[in-house]
Amino acid sequence: MLESYLPIAILLIVATVVCLLLVAVGTIFGPRRKSFRKGSPYESGMQPIGPGTRRMSVRFYLIAVLFILFDVEVIFFYPWAVNFRALGLFGFVEMLVFVGILLVGYVYVWRKGALEWD
Amino acid sequence: MNDLGTNILIWVIHAVLLTVVLLTAFAYTTLLERKVLGRIQSRYGPNRAGPFGLLQPLADGIKLIFKEELTPAGVDRFTFLLAPVLAAVPAVVVFAVIPMGGKANFFGTDIHLTLAPNLNVGILFVLAITSVSVYGIVLAGWASNSKYSMMGSLRSTAQMISYELAMGLSLVALVVVAGTLDLNAIVDQQKELWFVFLQPVGAVIFMLAALAEVNRAPFDLPEAEQELTAGYHTEYSGMKFALFFMAEYIKMSVIAGLAITFFFGGYREPLPLFITRALPVLSVDNTPWLGPVYFSIKVVVLLFVQIWVRATLPRLRYDQLMRLGWKVMLPITLAWVMVTAFVVLLRS
């Protein structure tokens, strides 16, 4: 069983080596003329103001948390979907209950305004 | 059955071949895009380097090799190098499981044309690996020490994870119909009827979500030139920039390949049944090496569609993008999964 993952591992190694080789080729053949101006981060030609990584909107964190919640639930769907024909009506009703609970959370998030972006 | 040593040799050759083919495909996808965009905008597109501009990708590659690999001040050097590799490698690795053909006979040995054909969790593997490329983009934005990069990578991440939900759910409906996660089995089931006819809503949602997932127009906000310069790869130059570029264009092929596998009959012949009945030679069951040929033809068609979309549709605004992902596509997909399940239940 594990043997079927071996070709994937080989492709992973090959792809990584090729990518690193590409970067190496660029480093070898490219010129190197450093200067202070060239080294400063791009800011439309201005002198950079403040650090490059600064505070970000809290909405991005909110989206990330919601993603984790919903994505875990999506993963729950897969084993159910594979065995759906074997589970029959029982499986369908079970999933209706699950989706119902999911929808309660979804409506709550929507009403709370977590999905608004303005 | 071959012994393990021979198998490993075959796999290494296969993997190298696949990587080379993907690199070439990437180079010519850029040319195809520039040509098609040019024609749609009443221009010629590149036509100076070689006949029909066919040597243009080569010229671009050589130019990029001789460009300076700039590492701006204040950059986290290791992460700065890691990010483009992390973005490009998953795009290539997904192709290990996408079925490109059945078993074919080369020099007396039976070789499967798909690199890893026996993976029974194919869809899960695809979803897992495509998610890894988010890390490349996050790290690129974080390591660059530039405001444009940071904002581009934040936007990109939020967009990718939002649309991953719709993409995952649209495939659940497909799995309900197919009853398996094995990509080869899914292709085999589409012998007579492509799943796009059973799953029209699923196919549309999958294509939309996949476009958003790889940051292509009309969802190309992370690199909206007018606002963010080049988004998360603003600070990259030379071959590192080329790797990001490569990641994006190989991902175009990836979503074309996945859409083909899930909805458009995989590597099976794109011909009506009566033709293959009259001429059985054209069927992949009889001539297995036609599988990759049919697969490539379908990939090119879907690549053309993606470029066409880019030339036609304007970019969404960020709040529209988020609204579409969370408030429109998620509920529609959820409803579609339950409708599919209900119909399958009634028919069984």
Side-chain angles (χ1 to χ4, degrees):
Chain A
M1 189 55 236
L2 264 179
E3 207 186 289
S4 56
Y5 287 90
L6 202 57
I8 298 175
I10 292 173
L11 182 64
L12 184 70
I13 296 167
V14 170
T16 315
V17 168
V18 167
C19 287
L20 290 176
L21 267 182
L22 286 176
V23 175
V25 165
T27 321
I28 293 167
F29 288 103
R32 275 164 184 279
R33 283 184 288 271
K34 286 194 174 170
S35 72
F36 174 72
R37 285 270 176 268
K38 214 196 263 177
S40 67
Y42 179 72
E43 209 158 303
S44 310
M46 307 259 295
Q47 293 267 356
I49 302 166
T53 49
R54 43 174 60 195
R55 294 200 293 177
M56 50 181 114
S57 170
V58 73
R59 288 179 218 286
F60 289 109
Y61 294 98
L62 212 54
I63 289 290
V65 171
L66 288 179
F67 163 72
I68 291 173
L69 287 178
F70 281 95
D71 206 39
V72 168
E73 269 145 13
V74 169
I75 291 301
F76 280 140
F77 274 87
Y78 277 94
W80 167 80
V82 172
N83 298 313
F84 181 67
R85 285 205 171 82
L87 291 173
L89 184 65
F90 171 71
F92 185 69
V93 174
E94 284 273 277
M95 195 37 93
L96 272 186
V97 174
F98 180 75
V99 169
I101 297 170
L102 185 68
L103 275 182
V104 172
Y106 181 68
V107 170
Y108 173 76
V109 167
W110 189 323
R111 291 286 297 277
K112 270 283 181 185
L115 305 178
E116 306 297 329
W117 201 280
D118 32 44
Chain B
M1 197 57 209
N2 307 317
D3 59 294
L4 193 63
T6 328
N7 267 340
I8 288 181
L9 185 67
I10 291 173
W11 285 332
V12 170
I13 295 172
H14 196 152
V16 171
L17 212 62
L18 188 63
T19 316
V20 171
V21 167
L22 281 177
L23 284 179
T24 320
F26 146 64
Y28 281 93
T29 312
T30 60
L31 182 68
L32 179 76
E33 171 157 57
R34 291 171 68 182
K35 276 282 185 194
V36 172
L37 278 182
R39 280 299 177 174
I40 290 176
Q41 297 162 357
S42 308
R43 295 184 282 115
Y44 283 108
N47 63 354
R48 296 290 137 172
F52 309 108
L54 280 177
L55 296 179
Q56 187 67 42
L58 199 66
D60 287 339
I62 293 172
K63 186 193 83 172
L64 278 171
I65 286 177
F66 289 102
K67 286 282 176 188
E68 183 170 356
E69 295 276 337
L70 203 64
T71 313
V75 155
D76 185 336
R77 281 175 177 277
F78 176 67
T79 324
F80 194 70
L81 170 66
L82 182 69
V85 177
L86 211 51
V89 168
V92 176
V93 172
V94 177
F95 264 97
V97 294
I98 296 180
M100 292 183 209
K103 273 205 167 88
N105 201 304
F106 288 100
F107 313 113
T109 16
D110 274 341
I111 296 172
H112 209 289
L113 291 169
T114 315
L115 185 58
N118 302 318
L119 210 63
N120 55 4
V121 290
I123 292 185
L124 275 185
F125 177 82
V126 165
L127 288 175
I129 295 294
T130 46
S131 306
V132 172
S133 56
V134 179
Y135 286 104
I137 289 169
V138 174
L139 291 180
W142 192 257
S144 286
N145 187 32
S146 159
K147 284 159 200 132
Y148 289 121
S149 305
M150 189 71 206
M151 281 192 278
S153 85
L154 270 179
R155 277 191 186 187
S156 188
T157 316
Q159 170 181 338
M160 284 167 95
I161 62 178
S162 299
Y163 281 80
E164 211 168 291
L165 293 177
M167 193 165 110
L169 269 177
S170 70
L171 293 181
V172 170
L174 179 90
V175 175
V176 168
V177 174
T180 176
L181 294 173
D182 187 337
L183 297 177
N184 275 289
I186 289 175
V187 171
D188 282 338
Q189 289 183 18
Q190 301 180 61
K191 207 169 189 169
E192 285 173 3
L193 187 66
W194 289 358
F195 278 159
V196 68
F197 300 114
L198 299 176
Q199 287 282 320
V201 179
V204 169
I205 288 179
F206 176 81
M207 280 309 283
L208 280 178
L211 274 182
E213 184 79 11
V214 302
N215 302 327
R216 290 286 302 174
F219 306 106
D220 57 346
L221 286 111
E223 26 197 324
E225 290 87 352
Q226 295 85 346
E227 305 162 28
L228 287 177
T229 315
Y232 54 89
H233 53 55
T234 302
E235 296 293 341
Y236 282 88
S237 59
M239 288 312 273
K240 293 204 200 78
F241 164 75
L243 279 188
F244 275 119
F245 215 61
M246 182 176 117
E248 183 179 335
Y249 281 83
I250 291 186
K251 276 189 212 154
M252 281 173 73
S253 298
V254 167
I255 63 174
L258 289 178
I260 289 164
T261 306
F262 293 142
F263 299 109
F264 298 100
Y267 56 84
R268 304 207 138 264
E269 57 281 352
L271 304 166
L273 272 177
F274 69 89
I275 295 183
T276 40
R277 287 219 180 95
L279 282 166
V281 187
L282 290 177
S283 165
V284 281
D285 295 326
N286 299 314
T287 25
W289 57 267
L290 275 176
V293 177
Y294 290 137
F295 184 81
S296 316
I297 294 173
K298 291 180 185 178
V299 166
V300 172
V301 171
L302 280 188
L303 283 177
F304 176 77
V305 171
Q306 292 175 45
I307 297 166
W308 187 9
V309 166
R310 174 175 173 186
T312 311
L313 296 178
R315 187 180 294 135
L316 269 73
R317 230 169 45 217
Y318 203 74
D319 58 323
Q320 292 171 331
L321 177 92
M322 283 304 182
R323 195 185 311 136
L324 179 68
W326 285 95
K327 293 187 177 174
V328 180
M329 282 177 48
L330 192 61
I332 288 181
T333 327
L334 209 54
W336 179 248
V337 170
M338 294 325 283
V339 168
T340 310
F342 187 63
V343 172
V344 169
L345 188 71
L346 282 187
R347 285 176 57 109
S348 63

